Amino acid sequence: MISLKPRSILLISAIFRVGLILVGEWQDTHMEVRYTDVDYLVFSDAASLMASGQSPYKRTTYRYSPLLAFLLIPNSFISRCWGKFLFSASDLFVGLFIRIILKQRKVPDDLCTYSMLIWLFNPFTFTIGTRGNCEPIVCAIILWIIICLINGNVVQAAFWYGLIVHFRIYPIIYALPIVIFLDPRFFRSGTKPLLSDWTSDPGKARQINSELIDKCAVCDVWKSTFTRSRILFGLISGTVFLLCTGFFFHLYGWEFLHEALLYHLTRTDARHNFSIYFYHIYLNYERELSVLEKLVSFLPQFIVQLVLILCFAKDLVFCFFVQTVAFVAFNKVITAQYFVWFFCVLPLILPWSNMKLKWKGLCCILLWMGAQTHWLLWGYLLEFKGKNVFLQLWMASLLFLAANTFILIVLIRHHNYGPVFRQHTDLKTTKTT
């Protein structure tokens, strides 16, 4: 397996996904339980409305950017599977981008291959795109932004960041770490940042870790806040976001603004929700929550995000990972598709982890899967059997949060921290091509 070339891995992955899409179509036609994600039907209906010149928001429960419906317009005249192929292609790009990022950090070929396989042949991730979920597009663009940043291409990174925040609001959590990451010591006009290479030497890794802790990210960022790179990134990403949002607001008005953006800040879901806020939402479902209650629910999430950013922003990829895990774990609404947000970054941090798969790594995997399965058991009794198990489901949510928190702490303790960049040793650096 490890001797397979990247092209062969991507080809096998593509064939496998095409097969899943075709089998899924057969299952939808001949079996009671559908393979296709119900959200895909919503996307397709919205795309059909847009193709006929109508608002995609005439389709109830469509709460995404019109860009998504636009991308799926070919569902109406090419094939209803168009979107699934598009999402699965994005899935393959994620695997390719994982390899590109790791190779640029000079990670050995075998570790690069393992990291690709962890994404491309993960049962959770390969079913996401083939069932018709749009998250692989988001994952691919997030990884492309990382590639742009580590290559010093601030303009392109800013463009894609503004676009993806419009497309899917959650990447807004990466704004502050990116600003801290754009350190003027590394991002100089006319020069390309120098990447810190991967090392298998634990002593050297510990030395880098010590240097990183001594120079806390929050201390560095205030020394020169308004640098050229930071201002450029903020102006371009903000402009792209505002242009996209303003354009669609002009076309679809308040309906777009509420459904695509504001709704996600106030969303409540008494079912299909792994969140610890689930029981409170259920008990108060028929009552409009006060502004204070809505804000308080964001407070633990905000505090955890801030602490993680200030500690790990210089190690950008790892910062993205721990941020995303914490954001999902403490969010007011958690559904299974959210897990793919951090799964796409997980393969990028594994080469810097000194945790062995046997036994600690395996225990973490089993703990996470066990806590999720335990929750799904109570969810099944509620959804399909009509049992009054809301309290038990909430306790399962508490257990799931505890499992996520424990695993996150273990991953942090076993990670070899290090800044992505190293300082230029002289002024005669390589010019950006």
Side-chain angles (χ1 to χ4, degrees):
M1 183 183 296
I2 201 66
S3 63
L4 285 176
K5 294 184 180 298
R7 288 184 181 180
S8 301
I9 294 173
L10 290 171
L11 179 61
I12 294 170
S13 301
I15 294 171
F16 180 60
R17 281 161 172 75
V18 170
L20 280 177
I21 292 171
L22 296 177
V23 170
E25 288 296 300
W26 180 88
Q27 180 175 328
D28 290 347
T29 304
H30 297 89
M31 298 181 69
E32 182 179 358
V33 179
R34 295 179 60 87
Y35 181 78
T36 300
D37 193 323
V38 66
D39 284 344
Y40 187 71
L41 306 179
V42 176
F43 302 159
S44 299
D45 291 345
S48 179
L49 287 167
M50 182 176 276
S52 62
Q54 302 181 66
S55 168
Y57 299 102
K58 286 188 176 180
R59 176 46 162 105
T60 56
T61 72
Y62 181 75
R63 299 188 174 101
Y64 300 84
S65 167
L67 282 175
L68 178 57
F70 176 77
L71 290 174
L72 267 61
I73 285 178
N75 275 17
S76 303
F77 59 87
I78 294 181
S79 169
R80 64 181 182 180
C81 293
W82 164 266
K84 293 182 180 180
F85 285 109
L86 177 64
F87 301 152
S88 296
S90 301
D91 200 2
L92 297 177
F93 272 110
V94 172
L96 176 62
F97 292 161
I98 287 171
R99 179 173 179 82
I100 290 173
I101 293 169
L102 294 180
K103 288 302 293 180
Q104 286 189 309
R105 298 291 302 275
K106 292 184 170 50
V107 174
D109 276 338
D110 57 342
L111 288 180
C112 290
T113 302
Y114 280 132
S115 297
M116 285 182 69
L117 294 174
I118 286 170
W119 170 264
L120 292 172
F121 292 96
N122 182 331
F124 185 86
T125 57
F126 65 61
T127 56
I128 287 289
T130 56
R131 294 185 66 227
N133 194 288
C134 68
E135 300 302 342
I137 291 180
V138 183
C139 295
I141 294 179
I142 292 294
L143 295 197
W144 179 249
I145 291 169
I146 293 174
I147 292 174
C148 293
L149 287 171
I150 65 178
N151 284 292
N153 195 335
V154 178
V155 173
Q156 191 174 161
F159 170 82
W160 287 106
Y161 183 71
L163 187 66
I164 200 60
V165 171
H166 164 81
F167 187 83
R168 202 81 165 92
I169 193 68
Y170 91 87
I172 192 68
I173 66 175
Y174 304 138
L176 182 56
I178 290 176
V179 168
I180 296 175
F181 181 73
L182 295 174
D183 192 319
R185 293 177 300 173
F186 311 122
F187 288 84
R188 297 177 181 179
S189 178
T191 62
K192 185 176 180 178
L194 298 177
L195 286 171
S196 298
D197 297 339
W198 177 87
T199 176
S200 59
D201 181 359
K204 186 176 180 181
R206 282 193 293 271
Q207 181 183 357
I208 294 173
N209 181 20
S210 177
E211 292 173 358
L212 181 62
I213 293 173
D214 291 341
K215 299 179 179 179
C216 182
V218 70
C219 299
D220 291 335
V221 74
W222 295 121
K223 290 179 181 178
S224 50
T225 304
F226 298 106
T227 63
R228 179 183 178 275
S229 296
R230 287 166 178 159
I231 293 172
L232 194 63
F233 184 87
L235 285 176
I236 295 175
S237 60
T239 300
V240 171
F241 174 80
L242 290 175
L243 283 176
C244 291
T245 303
F247 175 73
F248 289 122
F249 180 73
H250 174 72
L251 289 179
Y252 305 118
W254 172 257
E255 194 174 31
F256 149 72
L257 201 60
H258 177 266
E259 296 294 337
L261 298 175
L262 299 179
Y263 167 80
H264 297 284
L265 298 177
T266 59
R267 178 184 177 187
T268 55
D269 194 345
R271 297 188 176 187
H272 320 292
N273 190 356
F274 290 85
S275 174
I276 58 171
Y277 298 105
F278 152 79
Y279 196 52
H280 178 74
I281 292 172
Y282 163 68
L283 293 176
N284 296 275
Y285 196 68
E286 296 182 357
R287 177 179 70 86
E288 180 66 24
L289 296 177
S290 67
V291 176
L292 181 61
E293 286 177 299
K294 292 177 180 179
L295 291 176
V296 166
S297 66
F298 286 108
L299 189 59
Q301 198 174 36
F302 174 78
I303 293 173
V304 172
Q305 288 292 306
L306 189 60
V307 170
L308 292 173
I309 290 169
L310 297 182
C311 288
F312 306 123
K314 292 298 179 67
D315 193 347
L316 187 69
V317 177
F318 185 68
C319 186
F320 277 14
F321 175 76
V322 294
Q323 268 189 277
T324 312
V325 173
F327 178 81
V328 172
F330 286 90
N331 202 32
K332 189 165 55 177
V333 174
I334 307 171
T335 60
Q337 72 187 53
Y338 292 4
F339 303 146
V340 77
W341 295 352
F342 55 80
F343 277 170
C344 70
V345 190
L346 177 63
L348 295 175
I349 70 166
L350 292 180
W352 281 266
S353 177
N354 56 30
M355 180 170 60
K356 302 297 183 183
L357 179 62
K358 185 181 178 181
W359 292 94
K360 193 169 288 186
L362 187 60
C363 287
C364 286
I365 294 171
L366 293 176
L367 175 62
W368 190 82
M369 293 179 62
Q372 187 182 28
T373 303
H374 176 251
W375 187 96
L376 291 171
L377 172 63
W378 294 108
Y380 170 79
L381 293 176
L382 173 65
E383 294 287 335
F384 293 95
K385 297 299 182 181
K387 303 288 186 181
N388 185 3
V389 291
F390 285 97
L391 181 59
Q392 292 92 327
L393 193 60
W394 175 64
M395 295 178 69
S397 296
L398 291 175
L399 181 62
F400 189 59
L401 173 64
N404 277 280
T405 304
F406 174 78
I407 293 170
L408 186 59
I409 292 171
V410 171
L411 287 170
I412 290 173
R413 294 185 64 180
H414 286 82
H415 182 72
N416 291 322
Y417 313 104
V420 175
F421 297 127
R422 53 190 170 90
Q423 286 187 271
H424 294 277
T425 55
D426 55 64
L427 297 177
K428 295 179 179 180
T429 50
T430 306
K431 296 291 183 183
T432 307
T433 56

